[in-house]
Structures are given as C-alpha cells and as structure tokens.
Amino acid sequence: MVTTTPTRFKVKVNTHKGSSYWTLSGSTTILEDAVVFTMESMPDFFRQSLEQDFIELLPVE
C-alpha cells in the first residue's frame, strides 16, 4: 500500500512467486527494464492499482 508518493518511481509488484516491475504497456519485467513514472506521467488505469497491498513504489533519483 502506498503511503507517500516519491517524485519519480518504479512500480514494484510483489507476488508469491517474487517481485517484478511495471512497463509502460502494463506488463512486468526486471528492475533494470522498468519504466520510471511520475504521477503526472502514469496512465490513469495504472493509478487504480496503487492502493493494492502488493504494490510498492521505489524512489528513483
């Protein structure tokens, strides 16, 4: 669950099989290939998922 939102972030998805990260198309990939989002650049349909317990935002500098 997201409590504070970093300015730039990658979205981590935690599952029973491990972790993966969002791409711009909505699929998942390894950390190095994940898209760096801002709340402004994130598509609306992705934002709905940010409240889920298995979603984590990883800050990017």
Side-chain angles (χ1 to χ4, degrees):
M1 176 185 270
V2 177
T3 56
T4 60
T5 305
T7 304
R8 294 170 29 116
F9 54 88
K10 292 185 178 189
V11 179
K12 181 179 180 181
V13 181
N14 298 303
T15 68
H16 66 280
K17 293 183 178 181
S19 300
S20 57
Y21 303 85
W22 280 356
T23 66
L24 194 54
S25 68
S27 62
T28 57
T29 188
I30 61 172
L31 177 62
E32 293 78 14
D33 294 338
V35 172
V36 175
F37 290 102
T38 65
M39 285 307 288
E40 293 76 29
S41 72
M42 178 175 278
D44 289 338
F45 61 92
F46 283 5
R47 286 191 199 128
Q48 300 171 35
S49 299
L50 295 180
E51 296 299 319
Q52 301 298 320
D53 289 338
F54 56 87
I55 297 292
E56 185 179 341
L57 302 184
L58 300 178
V60 174
E61 296 192 23

